[in-house]
Amino acid sequence: MSFGQGGPSWGPGDSRTPDWAALAEASAARGRRRKWLFIGGGALATAAVAAIVATAVITTDGGGASGPQKSASELPAPPTCPRSPRRVPPSPRSHRRPLRTRRTT
């Protein structure tokens, strides 16, 4: 106690000492809560950015309701493939003669 202002009333052997285990547990709980708040805030921010980007993509020219609307019958037909596989001629590089090495005797 300093100058009668009061001070910690616990001391060695006093029954009013703080419960250090409870204080440590409370500190750990605050840390866990803070960690989960950061994780939740990050997930919320990510979802907000994704929503903004999706909205921007949909509302740009050429997309969404303002873009060209074609039904499936108006689209061009897919290209037809031949029924039997064609033989593709080999490339000109495959006809090169192998390089000859000189023999030194």
Side-chain angles (χ1 to χ4, degrees):
M1 290 221 212
S2 65
F3 305 105
Q5 296 296 317
S9 60
W10 61 82
D14 192 5
S15 64
R16 295 177 45 179
T17 59
D19 184 5
W20 296 110
L23 290 172
E25 180 61 34
S27 177
R30 280 192 305 271
R32 285 190 300 268
R33 183 172 44 245
R34 184 172 185 232
K35 178 180 80 171
W36 282 108
L37 282 174
F38 272 115
I39 291 172
L44 185 63
T46 302
V49 168
I52 290 169
V53 169
T55 303
V57 167
I58 289 173
T59 59
T60 57
D61 291 337
S66 64
Q69 300 285 328
K70 288 189 176 182
S71 67
S73 62
E74 295 177 87
L75 295 175
T80 57
C81 295
R83 294 197 184 267
S84 63
R86 294 185 313 193
R87 182 175 173 134
V88 178
S91 67
R93 290 184 179 216
S94 64
H95 291 294
R96 285 187 180 171
R97 283 187 271 160
L99 294 176
R100 292 187 182 186
T101 58
R102 289 186 180 184
R103 282 191 172 166
T104 57
T105 54

